[in-house]
Amino acid sequence: MNVSSPDVGNAGRRHAIEREPAVAWVESPLQLLCVAEAQHAGLLAEDTLVVPRAGQRALRLTGRELDRLGLPDGLRLAEPSAGMPRPGKVWAVGDAFSGRVQMRVLTTRPRRVVLVDDGLATIRLLELLTTRRPLLRARASAGIARTVLGAAAGMRLRGRGLTVFTALPVPEPLAGAVRDLGADLVGHDFAWLRSRPACPAPAERTVVLGTSLVRNGLVHRDRYLRWLQEIGEPVAYYPHRREDPRDLDRVRRITDLTVYESGAPVEMTLRDLGPGHRVLSLPSTAVTSLRVLLSGRGVSVEAVGVPDDWWTSAADPALRAHLQLFTDVPATAGGPVPDGADAVQTRGGAGARHVVPGETPDLNGAAPGETPVPGKVAP
């Protein structure tokens, strides 16, 4: 089901001959981390300049952490810029739904384009590329001009050297369709990050990853906050970079919950968790990436199924199914799976478990699928 990490070696050997500098444009911490992984894997060039978008505090903090860890050989981190740099012969980018990125795709001719992970949008992008539809964001209300731009950018990406570099599990039918386009689909398991010194793990046993679903108007705020209050044990809370500061203030007032604001991706800050820890998260790319990083360490990464009454009217069934692509539970806990959801459900790998809000699983007790005693804390 997954694109296996050994693919990195083969693709790296094919592409490491690039002598001209590569250029990467990143707009999120995950994109920046994945560019570092792509450089380490030999997919870019001997000399790669990565330019972060200006005005992003989380990007600045992630860049500092990468510097502290020691950048992969050949990777240079430029000062943040408001303007997108001109692509080199090799161009690495994360958000291919961006209108600015699409214009560059059409007005320049890099020899190769390397698409790195940009959250679950990566899977939607692959679906649109393989079905030859315009590259438009989910829930976007696009006019004629924007639709034409998305269609033209998709045609250009299909017609030139394209590499997709991802840690996400790509369903095999979709992976095969990507390869049928002539693109390279390269999986990785954060090899560079795993080779770096780790950050201290939090003292709390339970780690909760924050979510952007509340701020995006997809999940009711009161349901989410009530669930946090009812976990029933000390919690280390790692906010999502797009959480509303007012919501975060309310989270801070929850008893036995400590907010940890590092600013760097959780893949970087939580990679030293051990068997005594568990991670809870609503639908998020981080569920998959942390399973990749932590499966060998005995850490339980539990995907939280979103009950029907949590969703707002803005979250239609297709969107719910897409958001929960990498959880272990049906797209709507306690309700029917939306039409088409069975076509995209994937199972988590080692370390994967699920939890329904309101339950507090016993890490060392109940098996996946059982209902643990609420509030019980494992010894």
Side-chain angles (χ1 to χ4, degrees):
M1 202 70 161
N2 291 15
V3 183
S4 59
S5 56
D7 288 346
V8 168
N10 296 331
R13 282 191 291 274
R14 285 199 302 274
H15 298 317
I17 58 172
E18 298 291 351
R19 296 293 185 262
E20 297 184 48
V23 175
W25 166 251
V26 295
E27 301 178 82
S28 75
L30 179 61
Q31 291 176 28
L32 179 52
L33 173 58
C34 289
V35 164
E37 292 289 348
Q39 178 71 18
H40 175 75
L43 292 179
L44 301 180
E46 290 184 349
D47 178 24
T48 299
L49 179 68
V50 54
V51 181
R53 180 177 177 176
Q56 307 288 323
R57 178 176 178 271
L59 263 179
R60 291 199 309 273
L61 295 172
T62 303
R64 291 174 190 168
E65 180 65 8
L66 289 174
D67 270 333
R68 188 187 70 81
L69 294 175
L71 294 170
D73 291 343
L75 189 68
R76 294 181 291 124
L77 189 58
E79 287 297 316
S81 172
M84 184 185 303
R86 186 173 181 81
K89 292 297 183 182
V90 178
W91 189 36
V93 67
D95 184 8
F97 291 115
S98 161
R100 290 203 295 169
V101 169
Q102 292 179 2
M103 285 298 297
R104 284 299 175 94
V105 167
L106 294 172
T107 58
T108 61
R109 301 196 66 83
R111 183 179 299 128
R112 285 194 297 113
V113 175
V114 180
L115 295 178
V116 298
D117 274 333
D118 187 37
L120 293 182
T122 302
I123 300 300
R124 174 174 172 82
L125 179 69
L126 297 183
E127 292 169 345
L128 296 178
L129 281 172
T130 56
T131 55
R132 302 185 180 277
R133 289 180 286 165
L135 304 185
L136 299 173
R137 300 186 194 279
R139 298 196 299 155
S141 179
I144 295 176
R146 190 66 186 83
T147 301
V148 169
L149 176 61
M155 290 177 61
R156 181 63 64 86
L157 285 174
R158 296 182 200 102
R160 66 171 39 158
L162 176 64
T163 298
V164 180
F165 185 67
T166 180
L168 300 177
V170 181
E172 187 49 48
L174 179 57
V178 172
R179 296 188 184 100
D180 288 344
L181 293 176
D184 284 334
L185 183 59
V186 183
H188 72 95
D189 58 2
F190 295 98
W192 175 80
L193 183 59
R194 288 188 291 104
S195 73
R196 302 290 89 194
C199 301
E204 293 86 355
R205 177 181 80 102
T206 294
V207 175
V208 173
L209 307 185
T211 181
S212 64
L213 297 180
V214 172
R215 183 168 191 169
N216 291 344
L218 301 173
V219 163
H220 289 291
R221 177 177 291 102
D222 60 337
R223 270 53 157 212
Y224 179 67
L225 292 173
R226 187 181 307 127
W227 170 66
L228 290 177
Q229 292 167 348
E230 295 174 351
I231 289 177
E233 62 177 280
V235 168
Y237 188 87
Y238 286 77
H240 191 280
R241 63 188 176 90
R242 290 199 296 269
E243 277 189 74
D244 190 315
R246 293 168 296 182
D247 290 340
L248 202 51
D249 286 341
R250 296 176 66 179
V251 170
R252 287 191 181 93
R253 293 197 289 269
I254 295 175
T255 303
D256 288 333
L257 184 149
T258 302
V259 175
Y260 291 79
E261 292 191 84
S262 71
V266 291
E267 292 84 359
M268 301 179 74
T269 56
L270 296 179
R271 67 185 187 279
D272 201 36
L273 296 183
H277 290 96
R278 63 166 180 167
V279 179
L280 305 180
S281 177
L282 266 63
S284 168
T285 308
V287 170
T288 296
S289 55
L290 286 177
R291 285 172 180 166
V292 170
L293 278 165
L294 300 175
S295 62
R297 302 179 65 90
V299 179
S300 175
V301 180
E302 303 170 8
V304 176
V306 180
D308 288 338
D309 65 349
W310 280 34
W311 295 111
T312 69
S313 59
D316 61 50
L319 179 64
R320 298 180 193 186
H322 179 73
L323 285 172
Q324 300 203 166
L325 180 61
F326 297 110
T327 65
D328 284 346
V329 294
T332 50
V337 177
D339 291 343
D342 57 341
V344 296
Q345 294 299 311
T346 59
R347 303 291 296 180
R353 296 178 59 190
H354 76 265
V355 58
V356 175
E359 298 176 357
T360 304
D362 179 347
L363 181 62
N364 300 313
E370 295 179 0
T371 304
V373 178
K376 180 179 178 182
V377 179

